[in-house]
Amino acid sequence: MFSFQTIVENLPTLLGAARYTLLISVLGCAQGLILGALLCAAALSKRTALRRAAGLYVSFFRGVPLLIQLLVAYYLLPVVGINVPPLAAAVLTVGLCAAAYLSEVLRGSINAIPKGQAEAALAIGMSPGDLWVRVLLPQALKIGLPAIVNELILLVKASSLVTVVGIVEITRMSQSIASSTYRYLEIYLAAAFLYLAINLVIAAAGRLLERRLTV
Amino acid sequence: MSLEPTATSPASAHLRAVNKFYGDFQALKDITLDIPPGKVTCLIGPSGSGKSTLLRCINFLEEYDSGEVRIDDRLIGYETPGGKRMSGRRLREMRCDIGMVFQQFNLWPHMTALQNVAEGLERVRGLKRAEATARAREALAKVGLADKEANHPSRLSGGQQQRVAIARAIAMQPRIMLFDEPTSALDPELVGEVLAVMKQLAAEGMTMVVVTHEMGFAAHVADRVVFMERGELVAAGAPREIFQHPTDQRLASFLQGYRERNSLDF
Amino acid sequence: MLEMLHRYGPDLLTGFGLTLLTWVLGTVGGLVLGFFLEMARRFGPRFWIGWPIRAYVEFIRGTPFLVQLFVLYYGGPLIGLRLDALPAGVLGLSLYGAAYFTEILRAGFDAVPKGQIEAARAIGLPGRTIVWRIMLPVMMVSALPALVNFAIILTKETVILSMITVPEIMFQTQTMMSETFAFVLPILILALFFWGFVEVISRFGRRLERRFTHYLLEES
């Protein structure tokens, strides 16, 4: 029999674990935005070497499954003598991966900004750094907002994979509850709907923010 | 499905008290109109007057809400007046006797001119590939495009595309043809070639209903001109009555406006 | 190193094969199911078909694939769905892919100019012919890049099947790593494999795109 009782009893524990899901995806997204902006600047730079490097980075992190990237961080980093705590390793890896996708989002957005604006900024003697921070990025963030929100939702889902490096977020927690209660269907469904709820809230918040920014 | 044409004589069409609503907006108000067989009927009027809606009711692309539309004596769209919708099969059967030409040509972009024309012959009339191709070639030759059969629409001018669309319709051997502003999307220098094909069809005795802004065509080719405004049928008659002796005030001011815009006389 | 390859070579090959197999079956299954969902949604009753499909798509797109697999593989037996890891993985991939594919197909069908469908109806083409002969080829121009792109995303999702013990390439390399404590070679193999895999699919996709759009480019 389907047991709602089990779900109700274990929901608080799952909600507690959701903190880690949110922590990893939000921090990962923030890191991805910062690194993504740098990558995007490199991709749009006049220097061929910088453009190549950015291209290589993006194609590697988009081409190799995140699960493999996580295992690289987990197994390889200690081998080369870098010992980071699992949580930091998870955020870092998720962020590195997100940066690849977000740099493409930002690049598309910056291409959508009329060229004349950059020329106008340079014409009044603005430094390239100021041009990026004060003119291009604020607009790119606004134009790319729907895609950035979408990326955050992808990260919430992708964060389920950090179970492999031993962080007890929603999925890992539901695994351990399920194996001790033998209520697999109920617990995993509860976990699924928890993710769904988080993502619906993020999507709604994104739409709200979008409307705020456009008015 | 095999639907060999049963008769090739031109058909007549009859509308009785036809009404059409889009929500609260009434697009057609109580339209009663007879389309005589073998004649050219032109529908004129300002945009938004319901001409195209009326035309599209004749092959039931637009579903009228009340009244009757008949091809000869066969009701189209419903089993009985105001009754159940007719089956898809019977509707298709009726539609392949009604050719239609659209403002935007609506050729299928992934097929060549020949394939565009042969498609219906094969899939609706049920002809063998070879026979469908032969008949499609005849139709293309008739509109003067025999040499363009292998071109895709993207490689044809607007006028050529519209002629292929006409070939697609006539290849089906329809008994009545509907033209929905066939030249409105064309550059002015390409209008003539399409009108010429239409004149030729008219001369062969095809029943034609033409929604048009080409007053010259209406004046010289039509047997009957119908003026519509705001969903109502305002005036109908021979071209001479309509263009030279308009009795209705709205028709007169519509023609006045047209003459001023085009600064020509007919 | 050679010795290791010799020892694990057969397992790795099995892994490659299973990854390819699950991807092909999952993609084809997802496309077919996604197409049926779109047809049901487009031509079926809005309330009884449209809403459940909408909910299904939202559920799949709002939850992690890993959790969906767990629900199917570990939760399935409670409702009498007892599957081995491999069929469960393929079914899971198909169900997952279908939700995304159906949305891509929907956008594609919506982009087919209405007039081209009306022209088909006006000469009496039956609905099924219109879908196969007119709508599908026309929509492929706009939908194919997105379809190929998602097929590529699916290659990366196949590694998640290792989490329910499907012995595909990820599973095999993990076994290899835990037994030999060698990390560099296995990870290199994995990375190379995926890089090549994705490259092959995108090339194939571009060729397919050319086939469907040749009529836009041809010289007269």
Side-chain angles (χ1 to χ4, degrees):
Chain A
M1 274 317 294
F2 193 90
S3 161
F4 280 105
Q5 183 68 22
T6 318
I7 294 180
V8 173
E9 275 169 10
N10 291 290
L11 199 58
T13 325
L14 278 180
L15 279 173
R19 278 179 313 185
Y20 286 98
T21 296
L22 284 175
L23 187 73
I24 290 165
S25 40
V26 171
L27 284 183
C29 192
Q31 185 198 327
L33 271 176
I34 295 167
L35 195 55
L38 292 174
L39 274 172
C40 165
L44 293 173
S45 125
K46 284 194 190 70
R47 290 201 197 134
T48 321
L50 274 179
R51 282 206 310 272
R52 288 248 171 87
L56 200 66
Y57 180 97
V58 170
S59 79
F60 175 78
F61 279 93
R62 294 210 308 180
V64 175
L66 178 62
L67 192 57
I68 295 177
Q69 293 169 24
L70 284 164
L71 289 175
V72 171
Y74 193 59
Y75 287 111
L76 277 190
L77 288 185
V79 171
V80 294
I82 305 173
N83 267 313
V84 277
L87 187 61
V91 171
L92 195 72
T93 316
V94 167
L96 287 174
C97 182
Y101 289 92
L102 286 170
S103 75
E104 292 288 285
V105 168
L106 291 175
R107 194 157 67 103
S109 308
I110 281 175
N111 279 336
I113 301 172
K115 290 275 172 290
Q117 291 193 14
E119 286 167 5
L122 295 174
I124 62 163
M126 212 181 243
S127 73
D130 277 344
L131 166 67
W132 273 82
V133 175
R134 305 200 59 87
V135 179
L136 295 181
L137 281 179
Q139 296 190 73
L141 287 177
K142 194 167 138 188
I143 296 170
L145 186 66
I148 294 170
V149 170
N150 194 40
E151 181 61 26
L152 180 58
I153 290 174
L154 286 177
L155 289 181
V156 168
K157 294 188 282 173
S159 72
S160 65
L161 298 179
V162 305
T163 54
V164 295
V165 296
I167 291 162
V168 188
E169 40 62 75
I170 297 175
T171 304
R172 187 57 174 255
M173 184 58 90
S174 61
Q175 272 179 298
S176 74
I177 298 173
S179 57
S180 62
T181 58
Y182 300 105
R183 287 287 171 187
Y184 295 99
L185 185 65
E186 290 89 339
I187 295 301
Y188 287 137
L189 270 181
F193 278 102
L194 188 50
Y195 278 109
L196 188 61
I198 291 173
N199 285 334
L200 289 177
V201 169
I202 293 175
R207 278 194 297 272
L208 205 68
L209 194 61
E210 234 175 284
R211 218 169 305 151
R212 274 281 169 76
L213 288 179
T214 44
V215 171
Chain B
M1 184 161 65
S2 173
L3 292 172
E4 272 298 305
T6 44
T8 45
S9 58
S12 59
H14 310 275
L15 293 89
R16 290 284 170 276
V18 172
N19 284 293
K20 168 74 189 175
F21 293 86
Y22 297 111
D24 287 336
F25 176 74
Q26 187 164 9
L28 292 179
K29 295 176 189 163
D30 229 22
I31 302 286
T32 292
L33 175 67
D34 289 302
I35 310 286
K39 304 278 189 214
V40 176
T41 306
C42 278
L43 303 179
I44 62 170
S47 43
S49 58
K51 317 178 292 278
S52 289
T53 307
L54 187 155
L55 188 79
R56 291 158 59 86
C57 281
I58 299 178
N59 66 351
F60 207 61
L61 272 185
E62 209 70 71
E63 300 175 13
Y64 53 94
D65 295 311
S66 68
E68 301 171 23
V69 177
R70 291 177 189 277
I71 307 298
D72 288 337
D73 52 358
R74 282 183 73 191
L75 188 69
I76 189 164
Y78 300 99
E79 297 281 352
T80 53
K84 226 173 65 179
R85 282 275 302 273
M86 77 195 310
S87 74
R89 175 173 260 279
R90 290 210 25 215
L91 181 59
R92 291 200 299 275
E93 231 172 88
M94 291 191 71
R95 273 182 180 159
C96 64
D97 282 342
I98 310 172
M100 179 147 188
V101 175
F102 299 83
Q103 181 178 356
Q104 298 297 337
F105 332 135
N106 294 335
L107 293 180
W108 302 309
H110 58 298
M111 299 182 185
T112 62
L114 188 68
Q115 287 167 337
N116 262 285
V117 181
E119 182 72 9
L121 293 172
E122 228 176 298
R123 311 258 155 189
V124 181
R125 292 291 193 200
L127 299 187
K128 292 266 184 297
R129 168 75 49 93
E131 199 180 340
T133 307
R135 269 226 239 144
R137 285 210 171 97
E138 278 172 40
L140 278 177
K142 197 163 173 187
V143 299
L145 289 173
D147 56 330
K148 300 284 184 200
E149 65 168 54
N151 286 40
H152 282 98
S154 58
R155 291 282 152 188
L156 295 171
S157 73
Q160 291 169 334
Q161 288 190 56
Q162 191 61 298
R163 281 147 68 198
V164 173
I166 294 174
R168 174 171 70 183
I170 60 177
M172 299 289 288
Q173 301 184 340
R175 300 173 53 228
I176 176 170
M177 287 194 53
L178 314 176
F179 293 82
D180 192 359
E181 300 194 24
T183 57
S184 298
L186 295 176
D187 291 335
E189 73 270 21
L190 301 176
V191 169
E193 58 186 84
V194 171
L195 291 182
V197 170
M198 290 171 65
K199 277 182 200 160
Q200 181 194 338
L201 271 177
E204 288 169 12
M206 173 69 76
T207 309
M208 292 167 62
V209 190
V210 185
V211 171
T212 190
H213 292 297
E214 294 289 331
M215 293 305 149
F217 180 82
H220 295 119
V221 183
D223 298 290
R224 199 145 174 271
V225 177
V226 175
F227 172 69
M228 290 184 69
E229 199 193 33
R230 296 181 188 214
E232 285 175 76
L233 198 157
V234 176
R240 265 224 327 228
E241 299 167 39
I242 294 289
F243 290 116
Q244 262 127 47
H245 313 288
T247 45
D248 185 272
Q249 182 50 45
R250 285 177 286 180
L251 171 58
S253 70
F254 170 75
L255 292 173
Q256 178 65 27
Y258 182 84
R259 286 194 175 98
E260 276 163 17
R261 273 194 310 281
N262 294 276
S263 60
L264 52 81
D265 224 316
F266 38 79
Chain C
M1 196 191 233
L2 272 178
E3 186 197 337
M4 211 155 70
L5 272 183
H6 188 252
R7 195 168 135 211
Y8 287 96
D11 288 349
L12 287 177
L13 277 182
T14 315
F16 287 143
L18 274 178
T19 296
L20 289 176
L21 182 74
T22 50
W23 175 74
V24 169
L25 292 179
T27 304
V28 171
L31 270 173
V32 170
L33 184 58
F35 180 73
F36 276 113
L37 289 179
E38 163 57 16
M39 287 296 106
R41 186 154 54 168
R42 191 161 288 268
F43 300 111
R46 195 193 184 92
F47 188 81
W48 294 110
I49 305 276
W51 279 104
I53 293 178
R54 182 84 242 141
Y56 172 75
V57 168
E58 283 296 323
F59 178 82
I60 296 288
R61 301 212 306 172
T63 58
F65 178 50
L66 177 61
V67 176
Q68 294 162 20
L69 272 184
F70 282 169
V71 170
L72 183 68
Y73 185 62
Y74 296 112
L78 190 85
I79 51 166
L81 189 69
R82 237 168 267 278
L83 291 172
D84 286 339
L86 183 60
V90 169
L91 181 62
L93 262 185
S94 304
L95 292 172
Y96 173 76
Y100 289 86
F101 281 133
T102 196
E103 290 289 289
I104 296 171
L105 292 173
R106 183 166 70 131
F109 278 125
D110 283 348
V112 175
K114 228 175 117 236
Q116 292 174 11
I117 300 166
E118 281 187 344
R121 285 165 60 203
I123 62 166
L125 285 177
R128 188 174 305 188
T129 311
I130 295 179
V131 169
W132 282 103
R133 306 264 314 165
I134 312 289
M135 293 175 75
L136 264 178
V138 171
M139 67 88 92
M140 271 304 166
V141 176
S142 59
L144 198 60
L147 291 173
V148 171
N149 190 39
F150 193 73
I152 288 175
I153 290 178
L154 278 183
T155 64
K156 291 186 275 171
E157 304 291 21
T158 59
V159 300
I160 295 176
L161 301 192
S162 66
M163 308 277 286
I164 57 164
T165 72
V166 176
E168 44 65 81
I169 189 65
M170 181 82 198
F171 189 87
Q172 303 288 6
T173 23
Q174 267 181 293
T175 312
M176 183 173 163
M177 289 193 290
S178 63
E179 286 173 12
T180 61
F181 300 102
F183 302 114
V184 182
L185 182 66
I187 284 171
L188 198 69
I189 291 174
L190 265 185
L192 279 179
F193 171 69
F194 273 96
W195 179 75
F197 192 11
V198 167
E199 189 64 18
V200 167
I201 298 169
S202 19
R203 273 183 198 199
F204 177 71
R206 278 198 294 273
R207 185 181 292 182
L208 217 59
E209 272 166 46
R210 271 202 298 279
R211 252 191 78 175
F212 276 104
T213 56
H214 71 98
Y215 57 82
L216 298 175
L217 312 163
E218 67 165 13
E219 296 303 316
S220 56

